[in-house]
Amino acid sequence: MKTLKTLRSALIGLCLLGATQLASAGMLSFNPTPAFGNVGDSIAVDLVWTGGAGEYIGDFDVEIFFNAAIASLTSVILDPDFGLDSLGLGIYGDGPITGGIYAFGISLDSAADLMANQDSFGNTFVLASFEFLGESDGQTNLTFGNTVFGDENGFEIFPKLNRGLICVGPEGCAVAVPEPFSLALMALGLVVLGWSRRKHA
C-alpha cells in the first residue's frame, strides 16, 4: 500500500514538472495568421519568437514549407536586432508546388549580453520577415520542417511551433482543410451513429 502511494506521488510530481516545462517553453509563431491577400498582392508575414519564463534564444536553424502555387516567396529579411550576429538564408523549391525556406542564426554575444538585449524587447521579437506574392485563389499552411534551437548557453531548447496560414482571394479561407485527426473523429461519429440506428431498428 505504501509503495502504491509513493508511486502515485512520483507520477503526480512528474506530471507537475512536465506542466511547468510546457508553461515556460518559448514559442515560434507567424503573425498575422491567417494572412490575407488577393492574386497579385504582396502578403507580409513575420516569424515571431516569444520567450517563456527565463528562456532565451541564442541560435536557430529552421525550415519552413508552403504551397508556392498559392503564394510564392518574393523576399526574406532576417532581423539581427535581438543579438544574433551570424545569419544565413536559403530559399528553394521542390517542383512547382512545394516551396521552402531554410534560415539560421547564431549569437556571438555573451549569455549576459544576449539576455539583456532580448529583455529590452520584452523577450518577444521578429526572427524573420517574409513577403509572399498571391499566385492563385486558395490557402496554404506555413509549416515547420527540421528545426533546431539553442538557448543563450548553447543548450538545445524545444519551443512550441505554431504553423501559419495564408489565404489568397475572397474565398481563400472559406473552405477549411480538414485535419487527419478531425477526419478520424468524424468517421468514428458516423460509425457510432450507424450502430445506434441499427440497434434501434
Side-chain angles (χ1 to χ4, degrees):
M1 188 71 165
K2 187 175 179 182
T3 306
L4 187 59
K5 283 185 179 178
T6 304
L7 182 60
R8 185 176 65 185
S9 297
L11 285 173
I12 290 171
L14 283 172
C15 289
L16 289 174
L17 178 64
T20 303
Q21 291 285 359
L22 285 173
S24 69
M27 180 174 61
L28 276 172
S29 53
F30 294 95
N31 183 44
T33 194
F36 295 97
N38 291 308
V39 173
D41 286 354
S42 179
I43 303 167
V45 181
D46 290 333
L47 179 62
V48 179
W49 161 263
T50 303
E55 188 165 64
Y56 300 86
I57 187 167
D59 61 83
F60 69 92
D61 197 329
V62 64
E63 194 173 31
I64 298 164
F65 297 111
F66 54 92
N67 184 339
I70 301 295
S72 62
L73 185 69
T74 56
S75 73
V76 181
I77 298 171
L78 295 178
D79 190 334
D81 290 340
F82 52 86
L84 296 193
D85 307 296
S86 176
L87 300 166
L89 177 67
I91 301 169
Y92 55 88
D94 182 15
I97 296 178
T98 303
I101 306 164
Y102 168 72
F104 66 88
I106 187 167
S107 175
L108 304 178
D109 292 346
S110 69
D113 286 347
L114 186 140
M115 291 164 66
N117 191 39
Q118 292 184 19
D119 281 340
S120 71
F121 290 100
N123 209 357
T124 297
F125 44 82
V126 174
L127 277 177
S129 296
F130 308 115
E131 289 282 341
F132 292 89
L133 176 68
E135 297 285 358
S136 61
D137 288 354
Q139 61 179 281
T140 176
N141 288 314
L142 300 171
T143 57
F144 291 97
N146 296 321
T147 58
V148 179
F149 300 92
D151 67 8
E152 69 279 8
N153 296 307
F155 296 112
E156 190 171 3
I157 55 176
F158 303 92
K160 182 180 179 186
L161 305 176
N162 295 324
R163 70 181 179 184
L165 180 65
I166 296 175
C167 300
V168 179
E171 303 296 321
C173 276
V175 180
V177 179
E179 297 293 327
F181 183 71
S182 302
L183 290 172
L185 281 176
M186 189 168 64
L188 180 62
L190 289 172
V191 167
V192 170
L193 183 63
W195 179 77
S196 64
R197 280 185 149 182
R198 185 174 171 198
K199 186 178 176 183
H200 288 86

